[in-house]
Amino acid sequence: LPYPKLAPVNAIIVENNGTLNVDAEMGAALVVIEGNVTAELIANNMTIESAYDGVNTRVLVYSLEGNTFSGDFLSVNGEVISVELGSAEGATVNAKLIPANFELAQNYPNPFNPSTTVGFSVPVQSDVTLTIYNVTGQKVAEFSGTYEAGLHTIEWDASNNASGIYFYKLDAGNFAETKKMVLLK
């Protein structure tokens, strides 16, 4: 007889200073990390295998003996691109990667012409305002809204702005950070 269909499992993955943590019992994880990096297994009674494909490092955490893990399970020294999880019973896992802290990334590309992308992380649902100022402190653009926990990006089209140095500031809850970018036309 066929096996009964299992209900999907929901899981939250938190990345905190390179340590990955999952809030549910899992049987396996596939983590893709940018660049050629070495990952360290934290979970007990699990096996780790990794391979560098020329661009990214893929890390597999598993057990052939049916062991499971939860909590801190892997330490990585690079930017995590994706995480896929598998339950020990074979159920589908709906996982969401949540950052541990608020963070404002450097815009990309920088210098740019005419548009650039600003990335930021929010660990909990937050009202976020991204304000862009010219070098004299005048506000030239503002983006605001409520964002769910996770990684987000905003694209700024500076076609109608002059070449020069600009500053962008992220305000989210009690967090505020400012960075510099350069528009070259």
Side-chain angles (χ1 to χ4, degrees):
L1 292 173
Y3 289 107
K5 226 179 206 184
L6 298 172
V9 175
N10 293 319
I12 295 176
I13 305 162
V14 177
E15 180 185 1
N16 188 5
N17 295 325
T19 299
L20 295 177
N21 178 296
V22 64
D23 69 342
E25 286 287 324
M26 292 293 129
L30 174 64
V31 181
V32 180
I33 309 159
E34 184 178 334
N36 188 5
V37 299
T38 302
E40 179 184 340
L41 182 64
I42 299 173
N44 294 325
N45 302 317
M46 301 302 288
T47 303
I48 184 173
E49 292 188 25
S50 64
Y52 176 62
D53 65 9
V55 178
N56 299 316
T57 300
R58 298 177 192 287
V59 178
L60 180 63
V61 176
Y62 68 97
S63 170
L64 294 178
E65 289 80 34
N67 298 323
T68 61
F69 63 91
S70 65
D72 293 346
F73 69 95
L74 192 67
S75 177
V76 298
N77 58 349
E79 182 180 341
V80 175
I81 295 173
S82 68
V83 179
E84 294 180 43
L85 298 170
S87 76
E89 296 80 28
T92 302
V93 178
N94 300 322
K96 184 170 184 181
L97 182 61
I98 306 271
N101 303 307
F102 287 99
E103 187 177 328
L104 177 62
Q106 184 64 50
N107 67 303
Y108 181 81
N110 189 33
F112 65 97
N113 178 21
S115 64
T116 189
T117 301
V118 175
F120 59 93
S121 304
V122 291
V124 294
Q125 181 177 339
S126 303
D127 291 329
V128 173
T129 302
L130 179 74
T131 310
I132 301 172
Y133 301 94
N134 63 20
V135 76
T136 63
Q138 295 172 313
K139 185 190 305 183
V140 296
E142 183 173 87
F143 305 90
S144 61
T146 302
Y147 288 84
E148 294 293 323
L151 309 171
H152 304 280
T153 59
I154 293 176
E155 185 171 331
W156 179 45
D157 182 358
S159 298
N160 297 327
N161 297 87
S163 293
I165 296 173
Y166 290 84
F167 297 92
Y168 57 103
K169 180 181 180 188
L170 181 73
D171 290 298
N174 293 331
F175 175 82
E177 187 173 354
T178 303
K179 294 199 179 216
K180 178 174 78 170
M181 60 182 157
V182 178
L183 171 60
L184 289 177
K185 289 189 175 185

